[in-house]
Amino acid sequence: MKPSRFLFALLPLAAAARGGSFRGLSHIATEIFSFPPTNPIFIENLFVLPDARLLLTSFVHFGPDINSPLHILNPVTSSVSVVTTLPNSTSQTGIAKLSGANRYAVTAGILGDNFEFLNNTVNVYVVSLGWNASSATVVDTIPVPGVISANGLVAVGNVVLSADSRGGRILRVDTVTRTSSVAFADPLLFGDPANVSGSLGITGVNGLFLKRHGGQRWVYFTNSARGVYGRFKVNSLGHKVGSVEVLMTATSDDPVGFTNSLDDLVVDGDADGYIAWQDRSLLKVKRYNNGTTAQTVVLGPGGVATGNTGITLKTPTSVALGLDGGHIYVGTGGAVAGNLTGGQVVKVTI
């Protein structure tokens, strides 16, 4: 989550961009869904379900009530629906799959000023959603007190780890005992102290993604303000093991600069990372066996493909790996060139 500078601008709502496909660098990108400008939902995160549908959270849903809608998208029919609402929330962030069948955790709260949650409004919602079901049930609501930021989310069994972007911490919530605590804090998770006046500067650790390598559990993360892509190891209880490792740090000479933002991410079977890069593109970070990395813009730069059938990524926020491992989905907030539109979902072959 990183607030788009266009999100609350008092601008006319532009017409939604037409979908299309773009082939380049051996990748094919296809827009499969876009919310209309009359319903400019800001997609914050997405999660691919076992039946290949996508669960979508919305950072801002532009609704008048405090029961934010949780959406589901069928990528084959390009149809979206509300499967449930999360009570006492206006803004949703992370999604994670819990142990057992059909149970998912979603973080949400009531959005206040400066893109922060109002204190003591953050909850972890446990949602039950079965195979090909048209509706979901909120089976538990677990408060996370004293927190104004809960961002990316991963699950280790029934324990979820959430990125506290403002506090530079990883939060730990046990969905069985219904208890929350600070897992750890680290300087690499804080925002940029030299830029605390800007929204980018106060957004530190952002996206989280859990990946197993060689029997070890690694949590990969992004830090928006510092341009950092890194990881840390956790055990079976979700506790950190060892130190935080930096895999890539952006500089002014890199494709990613500090004036931009690394958001949510996925890591594929080759340990390569794919990162939503606001306000621009989809970024791939190739990791070699010697520990070095190389960056490639998969869709971009500027989020705009060439040609009449080009894809414009309208503020990319999130990515999810398809079930076949051969493509990813990119979710967007729905802002481009200063105009608000609906958030979109784009499918990209990798």
Side-chain angles (χ1 to χ4, degrees), residues 41-341:
I41 288 177
F42 186 106
I43 298 174
E44 169 58 22
N45 225 315
L46 43 80
F47 188 93
V48 180
L49 300 170
D51 58 16
R53 295 181 300 166
L54 279 67
L55 199 60
L56 311 177
T57 60
S58 54
F59 182 54
V60 179
H61 70 276
F62 295 96
D65 56 34
I66 54 170
N67 297 282
S68 63
L70 186 64
H71 292 85
I72 198 165
L73 169 66
N74 185 325
V76 176
T77 61
S78 297
S79 59
V80 70
S81 61
V82 175
V83 289
T84 191
T85 58
L86 305 185
N88 301 313
S89 72
T90 61
S91 179
Q92 307 162 2
T93 50
I95 315 170
K97 174 70 174 66
L98 299 170
S99 291
N102 309 327
R103 296 173 66 249
Y104 301 87
V106 179
T107 43
I110 297 177
L111 194 64
D113 296 332
N114 204 24
F115 301 95
E116 297 173 348
F117 289 120
L118 297 180
N119 194 26
N120 296 325
T121 67
V122 174
N123 292 285
V124 171
Y125 295 82
V126 179
V127 176
S128 177
L129 176 64
W131 183 279
N132 205 31
S134 59
S135 63
T137 303
V138 178
V139 297
D140 201 1
T141 303
I142 304 169
V144 187
V147 171
I148 61 172
S149 174
N151 210 326
L153 194 70
V154 294
V156 184
N158 286 307
V159 169
V160 294
L161 302 177
S162 176
D164 181 356
S165 301
R166 299 297 194 254
R169 310 177 298 182
I170 299 298
L171 308 173
R172 183 181 185 274
V173 180
D174 189 320
T175 63
V176 175
T177 63
R178 306 184 76 253
T179 56
S180 65
S181 60
V182 176
F184 70 96
D186 191 281
L188 290 171
L189 305 180
F190 277 97
D192 183 0
N195 188 29
V196 294
S197 61
S199 61
L200 176 60
I202 57 179
T203 303
V205 59
N206 193 327
L208 299 179
F209 186 81
L210 180 69
K211 185 71 175 178
R212 297 194 68 149
H213 299 296
Q216 304 292 328
R217 298 175 182 84
W218 291 94
V219 177
Y220 289 80
F221 72 92
T222 57
N223 183 316
S224 295
R226 297 179 180 272
V228 165
Y229 166 58
R231 66 179 185 174
F232 55 88
K233 193 186 305 184
V234 296
N235 62 20
S236 60
L237 299 177
H239 296 297
K240 181 171 72 73
V241 178
S243 59
V244 177
E245 177 184 355
V246 174
L247 301 177
M248 178 200 74
T249 302
T251 70
S252 59
D253 296 326
D254 289 330
V256 176
F258 288 115
T259 58
N260 307 309
S261 175
L262 303 181
D263 208 320
D264 284 291
L265 73 156
V266 294
V267 179
D268 67 11
D270 296 323
D272 297 333
Y274 291 84
I275 305 172
W277 170 20
Q278 293 194 31
D279 289 316
R280 300 190 176 193
S281 309
L282 172 63
L283 180 73
K284 177 180 179 179
V285 181
K286 176 72 177 178
R287 180 170 169 80
Y288 298 100
N289 292 334
N290 62 2
T292 62
T293 59
Q295 303 171 30
T296 303
V297 176
V298 174
L299 183 58
V304 181
T306 59
N308 294 329
T309 59
I311 298 294
T312 297
L313 288 179
K314 300 178 286 187
T315 310
T317 59
S318 49
V319 286
L321 190 65
L323 296 180
D324 62 3
H327 68 275
I328 61 175
Y329 296 102
V330 183
T332 76
V336 63
N339 294 312
L340 296 181
T341 64

Side-chain angles (χ1 to χ4, degrees), residues 9-25:
L10 298 178
L11 297 168
L13 297 180
R18 294 181 60 188
S21 297
F22 168 69
R23 181 185 295 270
L25 299 176

